[in-house]
Amino acid sequence: MTRALRKARHGAVLTFVLAGLMCGTFTVRLPALADRLRLPESSVGLTLLSWGLGALLTMQLMRVVLARIGSRGVLRAAAPLCAASLVLVAFAPSLPVLAVAAALFGMAFGAVDVGMNAQGSAVERAYGRPIMSGMHAGWCVGAITAGLLGTAAISLGLSLTAHILVVALVSVPAALALSRMHLPDPAPEAGEAGQAAPGSRRRLPGVVYLLGAVTFAAFMVEGVVADWNGLYLIGTLHASEAVAALGYPVFEAGMLLARLAGDRLRGRYGARGLIMFSGAATALAFLVVIAAPVTVAAVAGLFFIGLSVATISPMALSLAGTATREPGPAIAQASAMGYAGLLLGPVVVGFLSTAASLRVAMGVAVVLGVVIAVAARLLPASRTEIVPLRGSAEDEERSVPLAA
């Protein structure tokens, strides 16, 4: 194993950490933003819609962009822009301005998300074994940190604007430093040189779209928890703001534990079996949260939702990255489908909560868990293994001895 490859793995994990910190900060302070601007639940849903549309728009472009400049080039530009756009959210004085700021943040974050998953896939295929779940554990570390910092900021009386500004100021230099650690993306197969961009527009293998559907459902569940758990704990179970801010880091703690073990579990039980089990467990855990009569039980249920859903999207994106020689376009497609779920879920919950109640609306996630379990049965066994890269001997960063 080369030093460059180990460095690239560390850089990929830390990029996930940074992305989790920035997105988590936006998530945990969403109730405070809603309170400052006196927004009803439907307006919060529209803000999240703006964020999701921005992310989805960027992801639709990433199939071409990644084929031209690679994940390393995307991350070098998008990660600092993501931090800068977070500042715009902090200073938004009204709902229209907040919607625009959220859209810009979503556009930058969408590029970061696709770029870091494509970079993770390139590193994983160079290793020749599953490591994507462990990289996504880095996201959990960042999100948990965001939640704990949010709780601390609220307890210390730090203003919303000051809190987000500090996070952004730390994130910009960190993003620039990490950009030096990334690997170049895999080269096209022999005979395809110079045709990366046209190839990125060709129809991808059908399994990529099936994996995109699994990612859609998993991201939709994660979005429902991330964007509505705080308002659910405050509005339905009457928890304090400081206690409600703990819901998201508790959820992420469950995800972290599962993702740390996810690569080993995948090696033992296979991706298809693990996705099926995780989908069913997600449905059951969400039932616990919906039925919970008190805050403590609901927060505990959030931990088990995180434990159940954690490995689904990393495995789906990892498998999408192995479906073609160049992981970027396939991951961009699966991610775009996933973010459609991340976009749709919170908005659906927002409008259903207005029509019925937030408790009833969150039941959508139970159905999604069942959908994941059913969809996993359709995955072909031949597409559930890592396809190692055998790169050029002329580039040490693309060549690594594979473990026996």
Side-chain angles (χ1 to χ4, degrees), residues 233-260:
L233 293 173
I234 292 172
T236 302
L237 298 181
H238 310 294
S240 67
E241 185 183 350
V243 171
L246 290 174
Y248 188 62
V250 166
F251 166 72
E252 289 290 344
M255 295 189 76
L256 174 60
L257 291 177
R259 286 176 174 176
L260 288 173

Side-chain angles (χ1 to χ4, degrees), residues 179-271:
S179 68
R180 299 177 176 273
M181 303 173 67
H182 297 142
L183 283 182
D185 286 17
E189 294 283 5
E192 295 181 359
Q195 300 180 6
S200 69
R201 291 190 290 269
R202 289 197 296 267
R203 182 174 177 83
L204 295 164
V207 69
V208 172
Y209 297 93
L210 178 58
L211 290 164
V214 171
T215 309
F216 172 91
F219 273 27
M220 195 167 177
V221 171
E222 293 182 29
V224 169
V225 175
D227 295 326
W228 288 104
N229 84 89
L231 293 171
Y232 175 75
L233 293 173
I234 292 172
T236 302
L237 298 181
H238 310 294
S240 67
E241 185 183 350
V243 171
L246 290 174
Y248 188 62
V250 166
F251 166 72
E252 289 290 344
M255 295 189 76
L256 174 60
L257 291 177
R259 286 176 174 176
L260 288 173
D263 295 319
R264 291 190 295 273
L265 291 172
R266 177 179 172 182
R268 182 170 182 177
Y269 299 106

Side-chain angles (χ1 to χ4, degrees), residues 223-376:
V224 169
V225 175
D227 295 326
W228 288 104
N229 84 89
L231 293 171
Y232 175 75
L233 293 173
I234 292 172
T236 302
L237 298 181
H238 310 294
S240 67
E241 185 183 350
V243 171
L246 290 174
Y248 188 62
V250 166
F251 166 72
E252 289 290 344
M255 295 189 76
L256 174 60
L257 291 177
R259 286 176 174 176
L260 288 173
D263 295 319
R264 291 190 295 273
L265 291 172
R266 177 179 172 182
R268 182 170 182 177
Y269 299 106
R272 183 168 56 178
L274 187 55
I275 293 174
M276 288 173 56
F277 174 81
S278 297
T282 297
L284 181 61
F286 230 109
L287 278 175
V288 171
V289 171
I290 293 172
V294 295
T295 302
V296 173
V299 172
L302 289 171
F303 173 82
F304 285 103
I305 293 174
L307 204 64
S308 302
V309 78
T311 59
I312 297 173
S313 57
M315 283 190 291
L317 292 173
S318 170
L319 294 174
T322 67
T324 62
R325 169 71 184 187
E326 299 174 81
I331 287 178
Q333 179 63 48
S335 293
M337 294 177 68
Y339 267 78
L342 199 64
L343 165 66
L344 181 62
V347 175
V348 168
V349 169
F351 285 105
L352 286 179
S353 68
T354 301
S357 70
L358 187 52
R359 189 190 295 270
V360 171
M362 291 178 73
V364 170
V366 178
V367 177
L368 292 169
V370 176
V371 169
I372 291 168
V374 172

